[in-house]
Amino acid sequence: MLIDRETIGKRWLDLLAIATQIDIAVAWITSETLADDLLQFAALEGHRIRVISGYHDYLTSPVVLRRLHASNLLKLGAAESSWKFHPKVYLFTTKAETVCWIGSANLTDAGFGKNIELVYECVDDCSVRAWIDDEWRRFEYPTTEWLDQYE
């Protein structure tokens, strides 16, 4: 199923309502509203979130990074000089299946309704879960010192 800017926000809320785990890997996060959604989700008993965010060009919000860091939900897609961490991948694990989004939308207000974005939704065949798990093991949690310097 192809999701466009007209439906991404509604579908996001629909999936948050039925998921028990969310895994996200995106190049940038700027939306405090979407971060609030994640923090509220994480506060529910039995719910789990993992977020890997890039920070190239200082486009990711330091406020959002600090909030996710404080809840121990965040790792940094640390870039080397020759590349950027630039995926846009979302996994919503429900009791019945794991729904995968792959597309162009970062975790930003623009990506969730202002820009022309496309996200393809499908059921994960376990390959996306494996990729997310590998990336989660690969990257590190930010330190308070790193966040201070980034800010």
Side-chain angles (χ1 to χ4, degrees):
M1 169 170 59
L2 194 59
I3 301 170
D4 63 14
R5 72 178 179 183
E6 305 299 323
T7 57
I8 192 170
K10 181 184 180 321
R11 186 64 178 145
W12 165 260
L13 294 175
D14 290 346
L15 288 168
L16 286 179
I18 62 171
T20 57
Q21 179 174 333
I22 299 172
D23 295 281
I24 298 172
V26 292
W28 297 297
I29 304 173
T30 62
S31 175
E32 291 185 42
T33 302
L34 295 170
D36 285 344
D37 290 345
L38 292 175
L39 292 168
Q40 289 170 11
F41 179 91
L44 298 171
E45 187 175 334
H47 287 63
R48 180 176 164 205
I49 294 182
R50 299 184 301 178
V51 177
I52 307 169
S53 176
Y55 54 88
H56 186 77
D57 292 336
Y58 298 97
L59 295 174
T60 294
S61 164
V63 171
V64 172
L65 287 178
R66 281 194 186 275
R67 290 176 65 204
L68 294 173
H69 170 70
S71 295
N72 207 32
L73 306 174
L74 174 73
K75 287 193 175 182
L76 297 172
E80 297 174 4
S81 61
S82 62
W83 59 271
K84 299 174 188 175
F85 186 77
H86 208 257
K88 286 86 174 173
V89 176
Y90 301 78
L91 281 179
F92 304 89
T93 304
T94 72
K95 291 179 181 175
E97 61 192 1
T98 300
V99 176
C100 176
W101 284 5
I102 298 177
S104 62
N106 280 297
L107 197 61
T108 64
D109 292 331
F112 274 62
K114 293 180 181 176
N115 289 347
I116 296 174
E117 304 277 359
L118 289 176
V119 172
Y120 183 73
E121 180 178 309
C122 60
V123 174
D124 184 29
D125 63 0
C126 297
S127 62
V128 179
R129 165 72 61 219
W131 181 85
I132 288 268
D133 289 346
D134 286 346
E135 295 301 294
W136 187 257
R137 284 188 293 273
R138 176 180 177 191
F139 293 117
E140 302 292 326
Y141 293 99
T143 63
T144 302
E145 295 77 21
W146 184 92
L147 289 165
D148 290 343
Q149 184 177 9
Y150 181 79
E151 197 167 44

